[in-house]
Amino acid sequence: MTRILLLETSAATLSVALAQDGKVAAERVCTEPRMQASLTAPLVKEVMEEAGIGFNGLDAVCLSKGPGSYTGLRVGSSTAKGIAFGAGIPLIAIDTPDILVSSVIPGSDRVSFIVPMIDARRMEVYTAVYNAKGERLTPIESKIVEPGSFDGYLSRGKVLFIGDGALKCKDVIASENAIFREAVPLASAMAPLALRAFREGRFEDVAYFEPFYLKEFVATVSKKNLF
């Protein structure tokens, strides 16, 4: 039996799960925003205790690679790397848009394309285009959504736009072929992807792995008077 610990820390919703042979055996989800730094480790502990195993009982640890929240990705990376190094197990990383698409496969046979949208800012999203089988057709990119942005796909059939950035684009993408669904990437949706990566030996270098930020972190200075 292949046991993989799954960490999804890239979005506002934090989730941790334990998968056995691609099936979720234990899961914890926190919907309160920005709790990755304080709750990731406790949720890992709860999931491991529910599954009744220690870290030495894991075959791998898998994390959401990004793009997404800079802080969340850092927390997920440091936690996963620490577990992998300490337990001497492989590290697996899954692109966050792949996780969103996995959450709607199967069940997407009535659409021609799937477009995950991770909210960046204003009308910008992290996105890519997938076919109905969940196969990625375009590179993951940072895209400003404008009228006509996805017309080439919408003219060919139904397109499912999913993610926390999808609904804000609803008024811009005006088409009868556009379907919008709000969703967040969850650790449970990583289970089949992580198992496939494990069997194919697609592991990361624990020492040198870095999350897929896509864009550089930009710090902002508060305009409030502190003194």
Side-chain angles (χ1 to χ4, degrees):
M1 180 175 292
T2 302
R3 296 185 176 93
I4 304 177
L5 181 65
L6 311 169
L7 307 178
E8 212 308 308
T9 63
S10 72
T13 297
L14 164 67
S15 57
V16 177
L18 190 282
Q20 297 183 161
D21 287 340
K23 304 294 183 181
V24 175
E27 181 183 17
R28 292 292 185 275
V29 178
C30 174
T31 58
E32 185 176 349
R34 296 182 292 277
M35 296 301 291
Q36 286 88 346
S38 59
L39 281 187
T40 298
L43 293 190
V44 167
K45 183 174 183 292
E46 289 183 17
V47 164
M48 296 295 288
E49 288 177 347
E50 181 179 333
I53 63 172
F55 291 122
N56 59 353
L58 294 173
D59 294 288
V61 57
C62 177
L63 77 156
S64 178
K65 184 178 182 179
S69 160
Y70 182 90
T71 300
L73 290 172
R74 294 299 298 175
V75 171
S77 175
S78 60
T79 303
K81 290 170 72 171
I83 293 171
F85 179 79
I89 56 177
L91 175 68
I92 299 169
I94 305 294
D95 290 313
T96 306
D98 290 358
I99 300 170
L100 273 169
V101 172
S102 177
S103 69
V104 297
I105 302 287
S108 58
D109 53 343
R110 296 183 179 180
V111 303
S112 298
F113 303 99
I114 305 170
V115 179
M117 289 181 160
I118 299 169
D119 193 12
R121 59 178 183 176
R122 300 184 181 90
M123 291 308 298
E124 188 173 11
V125 295
Y126 302 126
T127 188
V129 178
Y130 298 70
N131 63 21
K133 296 180 180 179
E135 299 167 333
R136 194 190 305 165
L137 304 178
T138 66
I140 298 171
E141 63 176 337
S142 175
K143 185 179 186 68
I144 296 176
V145 179
E146 301 172 327
S149 291
F150 296 94
D151 282 0
Y153 299 99
L154 290 163
S155 64
R156 295 159 62 187
K158 297 289 185 182
V159 179
L160 174 61
F161 296 91
I162 60 171
D164 62 0
L167 294 188
K168 75 177 185 180
C169 300
K170 190 172 184 178
D171 292 335
V172 178
I173 303 172
S175 171
E176 294 182 352
N177 278 339
I179 303 170
F180 296 88
R181 185 186 304 174
E182 187 173 15
V184 294
L186 292 174
S188 56
M190 299 168 63
L193 303 177
L195 181 61
R196 187 183 311 141
F198 181 84
R199 289 174 172 172
E200 294 175 357
R202 290 187 279 115
F203 305 135
E204 304 290 337
D205 188 306
V206 176
Y208 295 102
F209 171 78
E210 287 290 334
F212 179 32
Y213 297 118
L214 191 56
K215 296 199 308 181
E216 293 294 328
F217 173 69
V218 178
T220 58
V221 178
S222 174
K223 296 181 180 180
K224 296 182 179 179
N225 293 323
L226 301 181
F227 302 100

